[in-house]
Amino acid sequence: QVQLVESGGGLVQAGGSLRLSCAASGRAINSYYIGWFRQAPGKEREFVATITWSGWSTSYADSVKGRFTISRDNAKNTVYLQMNNLKPEDTAVYYCAGTQRGLNSSPRAYDYWGQGTQVTVSS
């Protein structure tokens, strides 16, 4: 069993920055790949970024490349999503999720999910 808890969401103006955190705990947590997803009202959940627990490999959605950075701190069992140059279209609930199925952009590949944190970007 894996537990994931997100934090760091909030309200920010366009062009601003936020850093989301995903605190992970549970059995064999170091064997899990962690992904960030987001879901806006009326839309499907979409992939944002993912990282191996070692941090050697990452993957990003095209819409966030160059603006968002995923990273991890193994000592704290925490994965971060640094979001810069935020746009109104980034407004969504952001979720972190865990999988052992490799770097994967499909929500269906993830077995464990956090409760989500709201990010709102005003224009």
Side-chain angles (χ1 to χ4, degrees):
Q1 193 76 7
V2 172
Q3 294 80 42
L4 302 169
V5 179
E6 304 96 335
S7 61
L11 173 64
V12 64
Q13 288 188 332
S17 298
L18 282 175
R19 188 178 78 161
L20 305 183
S21 299
C22 174
S25 61
R27 286 185 60 192
I29 188 61
N30 287 347
S31 67
Y32 280 80
Y33 299 74
I34 301 295
W36 283 98
F37 292 80
R38 65 187 182 185
Q39 188 165 20
K43 294 188 176 181
E44 293 187 353
R45 192 166 298 190
E46 66 172 359
F47 168 73
V48 176
T50 185
I51 189 169
T52 59
W53 197 253
S54 68
W56 287 111
S57 295
T58 58
S59 178
Y60 295 90
D62 288 343
S63 59
V64 306
K65 279 181 182 176
R67 300 189 298 124
F68 291 12
T69 302
I70 190 171
S71 63
R72 90 286 179 263
D73 183 336
N74 285 346
K76 296 181 178 180
N77 281 352
T78 301
V79 175
Y80 302 99
L81 185 69
Q82 177 66 43
M83 305 185 296
N84 297 329
N85 190 23
L86 282 160
K87 304 175 181 181
E89 52 264 42
D90 294 318
T91 295
V93 177
Y94 282 71
Y95 300 89
C96 65
T99 182
Q100 292 181 306
R101 297 182 178 87
L103 288 175
N104 205 305
S105 61
S106 171
R108 291 187 296 273
Y110 289 76
D111 300 304
Y112 299 99
W113 292 84
Q115 82 289 351
T117 186
Q118 176 71 47
V119 171
T120 303
V121 184
S122 64
S123 57

